Amino acid sequence: MELRDLKAFVTLGEVLHFGQAAVRQHVTQSALSKQIRRLEEELGGELFERNASSTRLTGLGRALYEDARAVVIQSEQLSRTARDVLAGNVGTLRIGFGVATKILVPAAIARFRAERPQVTIELNDLSTHHQLLALSEGKLDLGFCRLPAPKGWHALPVVEAHFVAVLPASYHDVRELADLVDKPLAILRRDKAPSFYDHLMNYLAQSGLRFQGIQYVNDFAAGVATAAAEIAWTLVPSSTTIEHPDVITLPLTESEACWAIGLIRPPNSHSPLADAFWQTVTDHITGEKLLSD
């Protein structure tokens, strides 16, 4: 049973006029008649009573009309959905992000959803290490990760970040890291953000300084709270929200203390939704640069 024959049946059943139905179906009347006859042969009975002055549904035609109409509507919806998916207008986009992009990501998503309101966005707050695993396993479509990306992956630089030392307010005389070597230091556990931890350890090692009393925290907010309580100072990314009145900050902006965050995806992972969001982020970054120039 061909879908076009069902469409011919439904159209003719609606208008009950071969000439009008043929126009709607963009076929000749003889072609329409052949479609109806073919369908009747497959179903084993006549669907229409025809004479020189009228066309009416038979009992079989009336019994089958609503089911046939539902099939036609579903097929048309299937075609519309396919077009929308291929155009990147519907579907689900799974995006990973971390603290360094907590401002950019919502702005980019708002811009994207304004153009594609039917798209569902799933956000996953993950470290770079855990995003890379999820991207490799197909559990994420895109990720905002620390660069460089793995070899062969697509990457779009979006944010520059650096370390910030967060100190108890009583450390107001501190001017550089060397002033902190005898102070307790709280750092994020490696399993929470391996890339951040490894970079931080390399940075501290390259400084030539040996810090004492290192302790570990589960997130950056806990590190800031630890500094506010004068338990230890801490190091966090520059994007961390630091609004506590009992701490002061010491930005660390030498090249070894800086890194880039980019939007990345594995090779051969193109999809209409991912491509569209990638372009949205590109346009957003371009717009931000124009405003800052």
Side-chain angles (χ1 to χ4, degrees):
M1 185 179 301
E2 295 190 23
L3 181 60
R4 62 178 180 174
D5 294 345
L6 280 180
K7 289 181 177 180
F9 166 48
V10 170
T11 301
L12 183 57
E14 179 183 350
V15 300
L16 296 175
H17 189 284
F18 270 84
Q20 294 176 17
V23 171
R24 286 196 183 187
Q25 290 296 104
H26 306 289
V27 297
T28 64
Q29 288 191 44
S30 64
L32 180 67
S33 295
K34 288 179 181 178
Q35 289 178 289
I36 298 300
R37 283 197 298 272
R38 183 165 57 231
L39 186 59
E40 289 175 332
E41 289 174 0
E42 288 190 53
L43 295 173
E46 292 187 349
L47 298 170
F48 295 95
E49 296 176 3
R50 290 158 276 191
N51 57 45
S53 61
S54 67
T55 299
R56 294 183 299 177
L57 284 163
T58 63
L60 178 62
R62 288 193 300 273
L64 298 180
Y65 179 78
E66 288 302 328
D67 286 344
R69 183 172 179 272
V71 171
V72 170
I73 290 173
Q74 288 177 350
S75 72
E76 291 173 347
Q77 180 58 51
L78 189 66
S79 296
R80 284 193 295 270
T81 299
R83 288 194 297 270
D84 285 338
V85 169
L86 292 174
N89 293 325
V90 298
T92 299
L93 190 60
R94 303 161 301 171
I95 302 173
F97 77 105
V99 65
T101 51
K102 65 180 181 181
I103 295 176
L104 181 145
V105 170
I109 288 174
R111 182 170 181 167
F112 182 74
R113 296 242 326 136
E115 299 173 354
R116 294 171 172 80
Q118 297 184 69
V119 174
T120 299
I121 303 291
E122 291 182 2
L123 285 178
N124 298 268
D125 187 357
L126 299 168
S127 70
T128 290
H129 172 76
H130 295 100
Q131 285 189 61
L132 292 176
L133 289 177
L135 286 163
S136 298
E137 295 170 356
K139 296 178 180 178
L140 286 179
D141 300 303
L142 297 165
F144 288 89
C145 300
R146 177 188 291 261
L147 298 180
K151 185 177 181 180
W153 288 39
H154 307 283
L156 174 67
V158 295
V159 174
E160 293 293 331
H162 58 86
F163 293 125
V164 173
V166 182
L167 320 173
S170 60
Y171 288 17
H172 51 81
D173 291 331
V174 170
R175 295 291 179 268
E176 56 186 16
L177 284 183
D179 299 330
L180 295 164
V181 291
D182 61 345
K183 308 290 187 183
L185 169 62
I187 58 177
L188 189 68
R189 287 169 39 192
R190 187 180 188 279
D191 61 296
K192 297 296 182 179
S195 297
F196 175 86
Y197 179 92
D198 292 344
H199 185 180
L200 178 58
M201 290 297 99
N202 287 334
Y203 170 68
L204 294 178
Q206 290 174 18
S207 73
L209 304 173
R210 296 293 178 265
F211 296 93
Q212 306 299 318
I214 294 179
Q215 53 190 275
Y216 297 93
V217 292
N218 289 321
D219 54 52
F220 296 124
V224 173
T226 299
E230 299 198 8
I231 297 172
W233 65 284
T234 191
L235 284 157
V236 301
S238 52
S239 54
T240 305
T241 300
I242 306 170
E243 297 177 343
H244 203 290
D246 295 326
V247 300
I248 56 178
T249 59
L250 177 66
L252 306 170
T253 56
E254 61 268 41
S255 60
E256 295 83 4
C258 299
W259 66 94
I261 300 294
L263 179 62
I264 73 169
R265 60 183 176 187
N268 304 317
S269 63
H270 292 281
S271 73
L273 272 181
D275 291 346
F277 187 78
W278 192 279
Q279 187 58 52
T280 295
V281 174
T282 300
D283 294 342
H284 181 78
I285 295 169
T286 301
E288 291 291 311
K289 288 181 178 178
L290 289 175
L291 289 174
S292 63
D293 289 343

